[in-house]
Amino acid sequence: MRPTLLAGLTALLAMAALLLPLPAAARTPTEHHIEVNARMFAFDPHRVRVGLGDRVTITLVSDDVVHGVFVDGYDVDIRAEPGKPATATFTADRLGKFRFRCSVSCGTMHPFMIGELVVGPNIPF
């Protein structure tokens, strides 16, 4: 009975070692320079992904009329005219998904001009 118990315990420990993730060192926060093109009634890209602690610089470029970008949960609100890009820099210090939206009324479909900032965990994989 004792060898069976030892074999079972060894198998259980081996499975736990394979299934449990190893502690990973957090990667160093990086800088992101993201150009967001705004046009009636969309952002390109509409989704931006960064890591926790990353420094993010958004350059808003308007293709047609005056547009703005307001990022929910962050103190970011920039406005760009056609031919006059605007820039804002912030640190992504909260995990989660945050909407960004046009902050300047730009036409009938303006309320639907929404994008998404995704701040993920700062791990190497």
Side-chain angles (χ1 to χ4, degrees):
M1 177 143 166
R2 191 158 171 90
T4 306
L5 182 62
L6 186 59
L9 186 57
T10 303
L12 185 63
L13 288 173
M15 284 179 50
L18 291 174
L19 296 176
L20 295 175
L22 295 174
R27 68 174 177 80
T28 304
T30 59
E31 288 209 22
H32 297 274
H33 297 276
I34 301 161
E35 182 174 299
V36 176
N37 292 299
R39 68 181 182 290
M40 296 170 85
F41 298 97
F43 290 112
D44 183 27
H46 72 279
R47 181 171 294 124
V48 175
R49 294 181 188 276
V50 298
L52 184 65
D54 289 354
R55 190 159 171 80
V56 181
T57 299
I58 295 176
T59 300
L60 177 63
V61 177
S62 174
D63 293 340
D64 46 19
V65 298
V66 178
H67 289 285
V69 166
F70 175 79
V71 182
D72 291 349
Y74 287 92
D75 190 21
V76 175
D77 191 2
I78 54 178
R79 176 185 170 132
E81 298 176 17
K84 297 180 183 177
T87 302
T89 301
F90 64 98
T91 300
D93 58 1
R94 281 174 241 128
L95 287 173
K97 294 181 180 181
F98 304 89
R99 285 186 182 177
F100 60 86
R101 62 189 81 233
C102 185
S103 59
V104 177
S105 184
C106 57
T108 57
M109 298 297 286
H110 164 76
F112 302 101
M113 194 169 170
I114 298 173
E116 184 176 59
L117 168 69
V118 179
V119 181
N122 199 352
I123 56 176
F125 50 85

